[in-house]
Amino acid sequence: MKKILLVCAAGMSTSMLVKRMLAHASTINETVDIQALSIAEFDSVVDTADIVMLGPQVRYQKTQVENIVQGRVPVLVIDMKHYGAMDGQAVLATAFEAISKSNQ
């Protein structure tokens, strides 16, 4: 099971995206654990994650997040177009691709 952390300013704007990602995962028979957290909360669970994905509104904190993660998992900023459209399928595909590359 892949664990994906979505990080935004307060952890609330990503909740709809989480629902759409989970819905798509179920249609392709993938089991995933996706959490939406605020930037202040994510470091308490990052050690169990396969990827950290930042909402576009906190992209300026990518370096800070990378420093906390210390290369253990990929850190990506969610494409603004996919985030704005709440395109769970595209965001999930991006996450899977990044996880796969990091495991090579």
Side-chain angles (χ1 to χ4, degrees):
M1 175 174 18
K2 294 171 183 70
K3 183 164 184 176
I4 302 168
L5 296 182
L6 300 185
V7 179
C8 68
M12 296 196 298
S13 64
T14 53
S15 62
M16 174 64 83
L17 185 55
V18 168
K19 288 178 186 174
R20 291 187 177 189
M21 290 172 73
L22 289 170
H24 180 66
S26 71
T27 66
I28 60 171
N29 295 319
E30 284 282 348
T31 303
V32 293
D33 178 10
I34 306 172
Q35 288 185 298
L37 300 169
S38 73
I39 197 81
E41 298 173 302
F42 94 97
D43 61 339
S44 64
V45 295
V46 73
D47 289 334
T48 63
D50 294 304
I51 189 168
V52 177
M53 302 184 81
L54 303 175
Q57 70 275 30
V58 293
R59 68 182 167 273
Y60 66 93
Q61 292 183 293
K62 184 178 184 208
T63 301
Q64 174 189 349
V65 171
E66 288 173 329
N67 289 337
I68 292 168
V69 171
Q70 298 179 343
R72 294 184 303 259
V73 297
V75 176
L76 301 177
V77 176
I78 299 169
D79 182 283
M80 193 175 299
K81 179 179 70 173
H82 297 154
Y83 191 87
M86 291 287 137
D87 187 343
Q89 179 177 349
V91 176
L92 191 64
T94 300
F96 286 169
E97 182 179 335
I99 291 167
S100 177
K101 284 181 182 177
S102 74
N103 290 332
Q104 292 179 352

Coordinates of all heavy atoms in Angstrom, one line a residue:
M1 N 0.8 -1.2 0.0 CA 0.0 0.0 0.0 C 0.9 1.2 0.0 O 1.8 1.3 0.8 CB -0.9 0.0 1.2 CG -1.7 1.3 1.3 SD -3.0 1.5 2.5 CE -2.7 0.4 3.8
K2 N 0.6 2.2 -0.9 CA 1.3 3.4 -1.0 C 0.7 4.5 0.0 O -0.5 4.5 0.1 CB 1.3 3.9 -2.4 CG 2.1 3.0 -3.3 CD 1.9 3.4 -4.8 CE 2.6 2.5 -5.7 NZ 2.0 1.2 -5.8
K3 N 1.5 5.2 0.7 CA 1.1 6.3 1.5 C 1.5 7.6 1.0 O 2.6 7.9 0.8 CB 1.6 6.1 2.9 CG 1.1 7.1 3.9 CD 1.3 6.8 5.3 CE 0.6 7.9 6.2 NZ 0.7 7.5 7.6
I4 N 0.5 8.4 0.7 CA 0.7 9.8 0.1 C 0.2 10.8 1.1 O -0.9 10.8 1.6 CB -0.2 9.9 -1.2 CG1 0.2 8.8 -2.2 CG2 0.0 11.2 -1.8 CD1 -0.7 8.6 -3.3
L5 N 1.1 11.8 1.3 CA 0.8 13.0 2.1 C 0.6 14.2 1.2 O 1.4 14.5 0.5 CB 1.9 13.3 3.1 CG 2.2 12.2 4.2 CD1 3.3 12.7 5.1 CD2 1.0 11.9 5.0
L6 N -0.6 14.8 1.4 CA -0.9 16.0 0.7 C -0.8 17.1 1.7 O -1.5 17.1 2.7 CB -2.3 16.0 0.0 CG -2.6 14.9 -1.0 CD1 -4.0 15.2 -1.6 CD2 -1.5 14.9 -2.1
V7 N 0.0 18.1 1.4 CA 0.3 19.2 2.4 C -0.2 20.5 1.8 O 0.1 20.8 0.7 CB 1.8 19.2 2.7 CG1 2.0 20.4 3.7 CG2 2.3 17.9 3.3
C8 N -1.0 21.2 2.6 CA -1.4 22.5 2.2 C -1.3 23.4 3.4 O -0.8 23.0 4.5 CB -2.8 22.5 1.6 SG -4.2 22.1 2.8
A9 N -1.9 24.6 3.3 CA -1.7 25.6 4.4 C -2.4 25.2 5.7 O -1.8 25.2 6.7 CB -2.3 27.0 3.9
A10 N -3.6 24.7 5.6 CA -4.4 24.3 6.8 C -4.8 22.8 6.7 O -5.4 22.3 7.7 CB -5.6 25.2 6.9
G11 N -4.5 22.1 5.7 CA -4.9 20.7 5.6 C -6.4 20.5 5.2 O -6.8 19.4 5.1
M12 N -7.1 21.6 4.9 CA -8.5 21.5 4.5 C -8.8 21.6 3.0 O -9.6 20.9 2.5 CB -9.3 22.5 5.3 CG -9.2 22.2 6.8 SD -10.5 23.1 7.8 CE -10.2 24.8 7.5
S13 N -8.0 22.4 2.3 CA -8.3 22.6 0.9 C -8.0 21.4 0.1 O -8.5 21.2 -1.0 CB -7.6 23.8 0.4 OG -6.2 23.6 0.4
T14 N -7.3 20.4 0.6 CA -7.0 19.2 -0.1 C -7.9 18.1 0.1 O -7.8 17.0 -0.5 CB -5.5 18.8 0.2 OG1 -5.4 18.7 1.6 CG2 -4.5 19.7 -0.4
S15 N -8.9 18.3 1.0 CA -9.8 17.1 1.4 C -10.6 16.7 0.2 O -10.8 15.5 0.0 CB -10.7 17.5 2.5 OG -11.5 18.6 2.2
M16 N -11.0 17.6 -0.7 CA -11.8 17.2 -1.9 C -10.9 16.4 -2.8 O -11.3 15.4 -3.4 CB -12.4 18.4 -2.6 CG -13.0 18.0 -3.9 SD -14.5 17.0 -3.8 CE -15.7 18.2 -3.4
L17 N -9.7 16.8 -3.0 CA -8.7 16.2 -3.8 C -8.4 14.7 -3.3 O -8.3 13.8 -4.1 CB -7.4 17.0 -3.9 CG -6.3 16.4 -4.9 CD1 -6.9 16.2 -6.3 CD2 -5.1 17.3 -4.9
V18 N -8.3 14.6 -2.0 CA -8.1 13.3 -1.4 C -9.3 12.3 -1.8 O -9.0 11.2 -2.2 CB -8.0 13.3 0.1 CG1 -8.0 12.0 0.8 CG2 -6.7 14.0 0.5
K19 N -10.5 12.8 -1.7 CA -11.6 12.0 -2.0 C -11.6 11.6 -3.5 O -11.9 10.4 -3.8 CB -12.9 12.8 -1.7 CG -13.2 13.0 -0.3 CD -14.5 13.8 0.0 CE -14.7 14.1 1.4 NZ -15.8 15.0 1.7
R20 N -11.2 12.5 -4.3 CA -11.2 12.1 -5.8 C -10.0 11.2 -6.1 O -10.2 10.3 -6.9 CB -11.1 13.4 -6.6 CG -12.4 14.2 -6.5 CD -12.4 15.3 -7.4 NE -13.7 16.0 -7.3 CZ -14.2 16.9 -8.1 NH1 -13.4 17.3 -9.1 NH2 -15.3 17.5 -8.0
M21 N -8.9 11.3 -5.4 CA -7.8 10.4 -5.6 C -8.2 9.0 -5.1 O -7.9 8.0 -5.7 CB -6.6 10.9 -4.8 CG -5.9 12.2 -5.5 SD -4.6 12.9 -4.4 CE -3.3 11.7 -4.7
L22 N -8.8 8.9 -3.9 CA -9.3 7.6 -3.4 C -10.3 7.0 -4.3 O -10.2 5.8 -4.5 CB -9.8 7.8 -2.0 CG -8.8 8.1 -0.9 CD1 -9.5 8.5 0.4 CD2 -7.8 6.9 -0.7
A23 N -11.2 7.8 -4.9 CA -12.2 7.2 -5.8 C -11.5 6.7 -7.0 O -11.9 5.6 -7.4 CB -13.2 8.3 -6.2
H24 N -10.6 7.4 -7.5 CA -9.9 6.8 -8.7 C -9.1 5.6 -8.4 O -9.0 4.6 -9.1 CB -9.0 7.9 -9.4 CG -8.2 7.4 -10.6 ND1 -8.9 7.0 -11.7 CD2 -6.9 7.1 -10.8 CE1 -8.0 6.5 -12.6 NE2 -6.8 6.6 -12.0
A25 N -8.4 5.6 -7.2 CA -7.6 4.4 -6.8 C -8.5 3.2 -6.7 O -8.1 2.1 -7.1 CB -7.0 4.7 -5.4
S26 N -9.7 3.4 -6.2 CA -10.6 2.2 -6.1 C -11.0 1.7 -7.5 O -11.2 0.5 -7.7 CB -11.8 2.5 -5.3 OG -12.7 3.4 -5.9
T27 N -11.1 2.6 -8.5 CA -11.5 2.1 -9.8 C -10.4 1.4 -10.5 O -10.7 0.6 -11.4 CB -12.0 3.3 -10.7 OG1 -10.8 4.2 -11.0 CG2 -13.1 4.1 -10.1
I28 N -9.2 1.6 -10.1 CA -8.0 0.9 -10.7 C -7.5 -0.2 -9.8 O -6.4 -0.7 -10.0 CB -6.9 1.8 -11.2 CG1 -6.4 2.7 -10.0 CG2 -7.4 2.7 -12.3 CD1 -5.1 3.5 -10.3
N29 N -8.3 -0.5 -8.7 CA -7.9 -1.6 -7.8 C -6.6 -1.3 -7.1 O -5.8 -2.3 -6.9 CB -8.0 -2.9 -8.4 CG -9.3 -3.3 -8.8 OD1 -10.3 -3.0 -8.1 ND2 -9.5 -3.9 -10.0
E30 N -6.3 -0.1 -6.7 CA -5.1 0.3 -6.0 C -5.5 0.6 -4.5 O -6.5 1.3 -4.3 CB -4.4 1.5 -6.6 CG -3.6 1.2 -7.8 CD -2.2 0.5 -7.5 OE1 -1.8 0.5 -6.4 OE2 -1.6 0.1 -8.5
T31 N -4.7 0.1 -3.6 CA -5.0 0.4 -2.2 C -4.0 1.5 -1.8 O -2.7 1.3 -1.9 CB -4.8 -0.8 -1.3 OG1 -5.7 -1.8 -1.8 CG2 -5.1 -0.5 0.2
V32 N -4.5 2.6 -1.4 CA -3.6 3.8 -1.0 C -4.1 4.4 0.3 O -5.3 4.3 0.6 CB -3.6 4.9 -2.1 CG1 -2.9 4.4 -3.3 CG2 -4.9 5.4 -2.4
D33 N -3.2 5.0 1.0 CA -3.5 5.7 2.2 C -3.1 7.2 1.9 O -1.9 7.4 1.6 CB -2.7 5.2 3.4 CG -3.0 6.0 4.7 OD1 -3.9 6.8 4.7 OD2 -2.2 5.8 5.7
I34 N -4.1 8.0 1.8 CA -3.8 9.4 1.5 C -4.3 10.3 2.6 O -5.5 10.2 3.1 CB -4.6 9.8 0.2 CG1 -4.2 8.9 -0.9 CG2 -4.2 11.3 -0.2 CD1 -5.0 9.1 -2.2
Q35 N -3.4 11.2 3.1 CA -3.7 12.1 4.2 C -3.5 13.5 3.7 O -2.5 13.8 3.0 CB -2.9 11.8 5.4 CG -3.1 10.6 6.2 CD -2.3 10.5 7.4 OE1 -1.1 10.5 7.3 NE2 -2.9 10.5 8.6
A36 N -4.4 14.4 4.1 CA -4.3 15.8 3.9 C -3.9 16.5 5.2 O -4.7 16.3 6.2 CB -5.6 16.4 3.3
L37 N -2.8 17.1 5.2 CA -2.3 17.7 6.5 C -1.8 19.1 6.2 O -1.5 19.5 5.1 CB -1.1 16.9 7.0 CG -1.4 15.4 7.3 CD1 0.0 14.7 7.6 CD2 -2.2 15.3 8.6
S38 N -1.8 19.9 7.3 CA -1.2 21.2 7.2 C 0.3 21.1 7.2 O 0.9 20.1 7.6 CB -1.6 22.1 8.4 OG -1.0 21.7 9.6
I39 N 1.0 22.2 6.8 CA 2.4 22.2 6.7 C 3.0 22.0 8.1 O 4.1 21.5 8.3 CB 2.9 23.5 6.1 CG1 4.3 23.4 5.6 CG2 2.7 24.7 7.0 CD1 4.6 22.8 4.3
A40 N 2.3 22.4 9.1 CA 2.8 22.3 10.5 C 2.6 20.9 11.1 O 3.3 20.5 12.0 CB 2.0 23.3 11.4
E41 N 1.8 20.1 10.5 CA 1.5 18.7 11.0 C 2.3 17.6 10.3 O 2.4 16.5 10.8 CB 0.0 18.4 10.8 CG -0.9 19.3 11.6 CD -2.4 18.9 11.3 OE1 -2.7 19.0 10.1 OE2 -3.1 18.6 12.2
F42 N 2.7 17.8 9.0 CA 3.1 16.7 8.2 C 4.4 16.0 8.7 O 4.6 14.8 8.6 CB 3.3 17.1 6.8 CG 4.7 17.5 6.4 CD1 5.6 16.6 5.9 CD2 5.2 18.8 6.7 CE1 6.9 17.0 5.6 CE2 6.5 19.2 6.5 CZ 7.4 18.2 5.9
D43 N 5.3 16.8 9.4 CA 6.5 16.2 9.8 C 6.4 15.1 10.9 O 7.3 14.3 11.1 CB 7.5 17.3 10.3 CG 7.1 18.1 11.5 OD1 5.9 18.1 11.7 OD2 8.0 18.7 12.1
S44 N 5.2 15.0 11.5 CA 5.0 14.0 12.5 C 4.7 12.6 11.9 O 4.8 11.6 12.6 CB 3.9 14.4 13.5 OG 2.6 14.5 12.8
V45 N 4.3 12.6 10.6 CA 4.0 11.4 10.0 C 4.8 11.1 8.7 O 4.6 10.1 8.0 CB 2.5 11.3 9.6 CG1 1.6 11.3 10.9 CG2 2.0 12.4 8.7
V46 N 5.7 12.0 8.4 CA 6.4 11.9 7.1 C 7.3 10.6 7.0 O 7.5 10.1 5.9 CB 7.3 13.1 6.8 CG1 8.5 13.2 7.7 CG2 7.7 13.2 5.4
D47 N 7.7 10.1 8.1 CA 8.5 8.9 8.1 C 7.8 7.6 7.6 O 8.4 6.6 7.2 CB 9.1 8.6 9.5 CG 10.2 9.6 9.9 OD1 10.8 10.2 9.0 OD2 10.4 9.8 11.1
T48 N 6.5 7.7 7.6 CA 5.7 6.5 7.1 C 5.2 6.7 5.6 O 4.6 5.9 5.1 CB 4.5 6.3 7.9 OG1 3.6 7.4 7.9 CG2 4.9 6.0 9.4
A49 N 5.6 7.9 5.0 CA 5.0 8.2 3.7 C 5.9 7.7 2.6 O 7.1 7.5 2.8 CB 4.9 9.7 3.6
D50 N 5.3 7.5 1.4 CA 6.0 7.2 0.2 C 6.3 8.4 -0.6 O 7.2 8.4 -1.5 CB 5.3 6.2 -0.6 CG 5.2 4.8 0.1 OD1 6.2 4.3 0.4 OD2 4.0 4.4 0.3
I51 N 5.5 9.5 -0.4 CA 5.7 10.7 -1.1 C 5.0 11.9 -0.4 O 4.0 11.6 0.3 CB 5.1 10.6 -2.6 CG1 5.5 11.9 -3.4 CG2 3.6 10.4 -2.5 CD1 5.2 11.7 -4.9
V52 N 5.5 13.1 -0.5 CA 4.9 14.3 0.0 C 4.6 15.2 -1.2 O 5.4 15.5 -2.0 CB 5.8 15.0 1.0 CG1 5.1 16.3 1.5 CG2 6.2 14.1 2.2
M53 N 3.3 15.5 -1.3 CA 2.9 16.4 -2.4 C 2.3 17.7 -1.8 O 1.4 17.7 -0.9 CB 1.8 15.7 -3.2 CG 2.3 14.4 -3.8 SD 1.1 13.6 -4.9 CE 1.4 14.5 -6.4
L54 N 2.9 18.8 -2.2 CA 2.5 20.1 -1.7 C 1.4 20.7 -2.6 O 1.5 20.7 -3.8 CB 3.7 21.0 -1.7 CG 4.9 20.6 -0.9 CD1 6.1 21.6 -1.1 CD2 4.6 20.5 0.6
G55 N 0.5 21.4 -2.0 CA -0.5 22.1 -2.7 C 0.2 23.4 -3.3 O 1.2 23.9 -2.7
P56 N -0.3 23.8 -4.4 CA 0.4 25.0 -5.1 C 0.5 26.2 -4.1 O 1.4 27.0 -4.3 CB -0.5 25.3 -6.3 CG -1.3 24.1 -6.5 CD -1.4 23.4 -5.2
Q57 N -0.4 26.4 -3.2 CA -0.4 27.5 -2.3 C 0.7 27.5 -1.3 O 1.0 28.5 -0.7 CB -1.8 27.7 -1.6 CG -2.1 26.6 -0.6 CD -2.7 25.4 -1.1 OE1 -2.5 25.0 -2.3 NE2 -3.5 24.7 -0.3
V58 N 1.4 26.4 -1.1 CA 2.5 26.3 -0.2 C 3.8 25.9 -1.0 O 4.8 25.4 -0.4 CB 2.3 25.3 1.0 CG1 1.2 25.9 1.9 CG2 1.9 23.9 0.5
R59 N 3.8 26.0 -2.3 CA 5.0 25.6 -3.1 C 6.2 26.4 -2.6 O 7.4 25.9 -2.7 CB 4.7 25.8 -4.5 CG 4.6 27.3 -5.0 CD 4.3 27.4 -6.5 NE 3.9 28.7 -6.8 CZ 2.6 29.1 -6.8 NH1 1.7 28.3 -6.4 NH2 2.3 30.4 -7.1
Y60 N 6.1 27.6 -2.1 CA 7.2 28.3 -1.6 C 7.9 27.6 -0.4 O 9.1 28.0 0.0 CB 6.8 29.8 -1.2 CG 5.9 29.8 0.0 CD1 6.4 30.0 1.3 CD2 4.5 29.7 -0.2 CE1 5.6 30.1 2.4 CE2 3.7 29.8 0.9 CZ 4.2 30.0 2.2 OH 3.4 30.0 3.3
Q61 N 7.3 26.7 0.2 CA 7.9 26.0 1.4 C 8.5 24.6 1.0 O 8.9 23.8 1.8 CB 6.8 25.7 2.4 CG 6.4 27.1 3.1 CD 5.4 26.9 4.2 OE1 4.3 26.5 4.0 NE2 5.8 27.2 5.4
K62 N 8.7 24.4 -0.3 CA 9.2 23.1 -0.8 C 10.6 22.9 -0.2 O 10.9 21.7 0.2 CB 9.2 23.1 -2.3 CG 9.7 21.7 -2.9 CD 9.7 21.7 -4.4 CE 10.1 20.2 -4.8 NZ 10.7 20.2 -6.1
T63 N 11.4 23.8 -0.2 CA 12.8 23.7 0.3 C 12.8 23.3 1.8 O 13.5 22.4 2.2 CB 13.6 24.9 0.1 OG1 13.7 25.2 -1.3 CG2 15.0 24.8 0.6
Q64 N 11.9 23.9 2.5 CA 11.7 23.6 4.0 C 11.3 22.2 4.1 O 11.8 21.4 5.0 CB 10.7 24.5 4.6 CG 10.4 24.2 6.0 CD 9.2 25.0 6.6 OE1 8.8 26.0 5.9 NE2 8.7 24.6 7.7
V65 N 10.3 21.7 3.3 CA 9.8 20.3 3.4 C 10.9 19.4 3.0 O 11.1 18.3 3.7 CB 8.6 20.2 2.5 CG1 8.2 18.7 2.4 CG2 7.4 21.0 3.1
E66 N 11.7 19.7 2.0 CA 12.8 18.8 1.5 C 13.8 18.7 2.6 O 14.4 17.6 2.8 CB 13.4 19.4 0.2 CG 12.5 19.2 -1.0 CD 13.1 19.8 -2.2 OE1 13.7 20.9 -2.1 OE2 12.8 19.3 -3.3
N67 N 14.1 19.8 3.3 CA 15.0 19.7 4.4 C 14.6 18.8 5.6 O 15.4 18.1 6.2 CB 15.3 21.1 5.0 CG 16.2 21.9 4.1 OD1 16.9 21.4 3.2 ND2 16.0 23.2 4.2
I68 N 13.3 18.8 5.8 CA 12.7 17.9 6.8 C 12.8 16.4 6.4 O 13.1 15.5 7.1 CB 11.3 18.3 7.2 CG1 11.3 19.7 7.9 CG2 10.6 17.3 8.1 CD1 10.0 20.3 8.1
V69 N 12.4 16.2 5.1 CA 12.3 14.9 4.5 C 13.7 14.3 4.3 O 13.9 13.1 4.4 CB 11.5 14.9 3.2 CG1 11.6 13.6 2.5 CG2 10.1 15.3 3.5
Q70 N 14.7 15.1 4.1 CA 16.1 14.7 3.9 C 16.3 13.6 2.8 O 17.0 12.7 3.1 CB 16.7 14.3 5.2 CG 16.7 15.4 6.2 CD 17.3 15.0 7.5 OE1 17.5 13.8 7.9 NE2 17.7 16.0 8.4
G71 N 15.6 13.7 1.7 CA 15.7 12.8 0.6 C 15.1 11.4 0.8 O 15.3 10.5 0.0
R72 N 14.5 11.2 1.9 CA 13.9 9.9 2.2 C 12.7 9.5 1.2 O 12.5 8.4 0.9 CB 13.4 9.7 3.6 CG 14.5 9.8 4.7 CD 14.0 9.6 6.1 NE 13.0 10.5 6.4 CZ 13.2 11.6 7.2 NH1 14.4 11.8 7.7 NH2 12.2 12.4 7.5
V73 N 12.0 10.5 0.8 CA 10.9 10.3 -0.1 C 10.8 11.5 -1.1 O 11.3 12.6 -0.7 CB 9.5 10.2 0.6 CG1 9.5 9.0 1.5 CG2 9.2 11.4 1.4
P74 N 10.2 11.3 -2.2 CA 10.0 12.5 -3.1 C 9.1 13.6 -2.6 O 8.2 13.3 -1.8 CB 9.4 11.9 -4.4 CG 9.4 10.4 -4.2 CD 9.6 10.1 -2.8
V75 N 9.5 14.8 -2.9 CA 8.6 16.0 -2.5 C 8.3 16.7 -3.8 O 9.2 17.1 -4.6 CB 9.4 16.9 -1.6 CG1 8.5 18.2 -1.3 CG2 9.8 16.2 -0.3
L76 N 7.0 16.8 -4.1 CA 6.5 17.4 -5.4 C 5.5 18.5 -5.1 O 4.7 18.3 -4.1 CB 5.9 16.4 -6.3 CG 6.7 15.2 -6.8 CD1 5.8 14.3 -7.6 CD2 7.9 15.6 -7.6
V77 N 5.5 19.5 -5.9 CA 4.4 20.4 -5.9 C 3.3 20.0 -6.9 O 3.6 19.7 -8.0 CB 4.9 21.9 -6.3 CG1 3.7 22.8 -6.3 CG2 5.9 22.3 -5.3
I78 N 2.1 19.9 -6.4 CA 1.0 19.5 -7.3 C 0.8 20.5 -8.4 O 0.7 21.7 -8.1 CB -0.3 19.3 -6.5 CG1 -0.1 18.2 -5.4 CG2 -1.5 18.9 -7.4 CD1 -1.2 18.1 -4.4
D79 N 0.7 20.0 -9.6 CA 0.4 20.9 -10.8 C -0.8 21.8 -10.5 O -1.9 21.2 -10.1 CB 0.2 20.1 -12.0 CG 0.0 20.9 -13.3 OD1 -1.1 21.4 -13.4 OD2 0.9 21.0 -14.0
M80 N -0.7 23.1 -10.7 CA -1.8 24.0 -10.4 C -3.0 23.7 -11.2 O -4.1 23.8 -10.7 CB -1.3 25.4 -10.6 CG -2.3 26.5 -10.0 SD -1.7 28.2 -10.2 CE -0.2 28.1 -9.3
K81 N -2.9 23.3 -12.4 CA -4.0 22.9 -13.3 C -4.8 21.7 -12.7 O -6.0 21.7 -12.6 CB -3.6 22.7 -14.7 CG -4.6 22.3 -15.6 CD -4.1 22.0 -17.0 CE -3.3 20.8 -17.0 NZ -2.8 20.3 -18.3
H82 N -4.0 20.7 -12.3 CA -4.6 19.5 -11.7 C -5.3 19.8 -10.3 O -6.4 19.3 -10.0 CB -3.6 18.4 -11.5 CG -3.0 17.9 -12.8 ND1 -1.8 17.4 -12.9 CD2 -3.5 18.0 -14.1 CE1 -1.5 17.0 -14.2 NE2 -2.6 17.4 -14.9
Y83 N -4.6 20.7 -9.6 CA -5.1 21.0 -8.2 C -6.4 21.8 -8.4 O -7.4 21.6 -7.7 CB -4.1 21.8 -7.5 CG -4.4 22.0 -6.0 CD1 -4.1 21.1 -5.1 CD2 -5.1 23.2 -5.6 CE1 -4.4 21.2 -3.7 CE2 -5.4 23.3 -4.3 CZ -5.1 22.4 -3.3 OH -5.4 22.5 -2.0
G84 N -6.4 22.8 -9.3 CA -7.6 23.7 -9.5 C -8.8 22.9 -10.0 O -9.9 23.2 -9.6
A85 N -8.5 21.9 -10.8 CA -9.6 21.1 -11.4 C -10.0 19.9 -10.4 O -10.9 19.2 -10.7 CB -9.2 20.5 -12.7
M86 N -9.2 19.8 -9.3 CA -9.4 18.7 -8.4 C -9.3 17.3 -9.2 O -10.2 16.5 -9.0 CB -10.7 18.8 -7.6 CG -10.7 19.9 -6.6 SD -9.7 19.5 -5.2 CE -8.8 21.1 -5.0
D87 N -8.4 17.2 -10.0 CA -8.2 16.1 -10.9 C -7.4 14.9 -10.1 O -6.2 14.8 -10.2 CB -7.4 16.5 -12.2 CG -7.3 15.4 -13.2 OD1 -7.6 14.2 -12.9 OD2 -7.0 15.7 -14.4
G88 N -8.2 14.2 -9.4 CA -7.6 13.1 -8.6 C -6.9 12.1 -9.4 O -5.9 11.5 -9.0
Q89 N -7.4 11.8 -10.6 CA -6.7 10.8 -11.4 C -5.3 11.3 -11.8 O -4.3 10.5 -11.7 CB -7.5 10.6 -12.7 CG -6.9 9.6 -13.7 CD -7.8 9.3 -14.9 OE1 -9.0 9.7 -14.9 NE2 -7.2 8.6 -15.8
A90 N -5.2 12.5 -12.2 CA -3.9 13.0 -12.7 C -2.9 13.2 -11.5 O -1.7 12.8 -11.6 CB -4.0 14.4 -13.3
V91 N -3.4 13.6 -10.4 CA -2.5 13.8 -9.2 C -2.0 12.4 -8.7 O -0.9 12.2 -8.4 CB -3.2 14.6 -8.1 CG1 -2.3 14.6 -6.8 CG2 -3.5 16.0 -8.6
L92 N -2.9 11.4 -8.7 CA -2.6 10.1 -8.3 C -1.6 9.5 -9.3 O -0.6 8.8 -8.8 CB -3.8 9.2 -8.2 CG -3.6 7.8 -7.5 CD1 -3.2 8.0 -6.1 CD2 -4.9 7.0 -7.6
A93 N -1.7 9.7 -10.5 CA -0.8 9.2 -11.5 C 0.6 9.8 -11.3 O 1.6 9.1 -11.4 CB -1.3 9.4 -12.9
T94 N 0.6 11.1 -11.0 CA 1.9 11.8 -10.8 C 2.6 11.2 -9.5 O 3.8 11.0 -9.5 CB 1.6 13.3 -10.6 OG1 1.1 13.8 -11.8 CG2 2.9 14.0 -10.3
A95 N 1.8 10.9 -8.5 CA 2.3 10.3 -7.3 C 2.9 9.0 -7.5 O 4.0 8.7 -7.1 CB 1.2 10.3 -6.2
F96 N 2.2 8.1 -8.2 CA 2.6 6.8 -8.5 C 3.9 6.8 -9.3 O 4.8 6.0 -9.1 CB 1.6 6.0 -9.2 CG 0.4 5.5 -8.4 CD1 -0.7 5.0 -8.9 CD2 0.5 5.6 -7.0 CE1 -1.8 4.5 -8.2 CE2 -0.6 5.1 -6.2 CZ -1.7 4.6 -6.8
E97 N 4.0 7.7 -10.3 CA 5.2 7.8 -11.2 C 6.4 8.2 -10.3 O 7.5 7.6 -10.5 CB 4.9 8.8 -12.3 CG 6.1 8.9 -13.2 CD 5.8 9.9 -14.3 OE1 4.6 10.2 -14.7 OE2 6.8 10.5 -14.9
A98 N 6.2 9.2 -9.5 CA 7.3 9.7 -8.6 C 7.8 8.6 -7.6 O 9.0 8.4 -7.4 CB 6.9 10.9 -7.9
I99 N 6.8 7.9 -7.1 CA 7.2 6.8 -6.1 C 7.9 5.7 -6.9 O 8.9 5.2 -6.4 CB 5.9 6.2 -5.5 CG1 5.3 7.3 -4.5 CG2 6.2 4.9 -4.7 CD1 3.9 6.9 -4.0
S100 N 7.5 5.3 -8.1 CA 8.1 4.3 -8.8 C 9.6 4.7 -9.2 O 10.5 3.9 -9.0 CB 7.3 4.1 -10.1 OG 8.0 3.1 -10.9
K101 N 9.8 6.0 -9.6 CA 11.1 6.4 -9.9 C 12.0 6.4 -8.7 O 13.2 6.1 -8.8 CB 11.1 7.8 -10.5 CG 10.6 7.9 -11.9 CD 10.6 9.3 -12.4 CE 10.1 9.4 -13.9 NZ 10.0 10.7 -14.4
S102 N 11.5 6.8 -7.5 CA 12.3 6.8 -6.3 C 12.7 5.5 -5.8 O 13.7 5.3 -5.1 CB 11.6 7.6 -5.2 OG 10.6 6.8 -4.6
N103 N 11.9 4.4 -6.2 CA 12.2 3.1 -5.8 C 13.2 2.3 -6.7 O 13.5 1.2 -6.5 CB 10.9 2.2 -5.7 CG 10.1 2.7 -4.5 OD1 10.6 3.2 -3.5 ND2 8.8 2.5 -4.6
Q104 N 13.6 3.0 -7.8 CA 14.5 2.4 -8.8 C 16.0 2.4 -8.3 O 16.4 3.2 -7.6 CB 14.4 3.0 -10.1 CG 13.1 2.7 -10.8 CD 12.9 3.3 -12.1 OE1 13.7 4.1 -12.6 NE2 11.8 3.0 -12.8

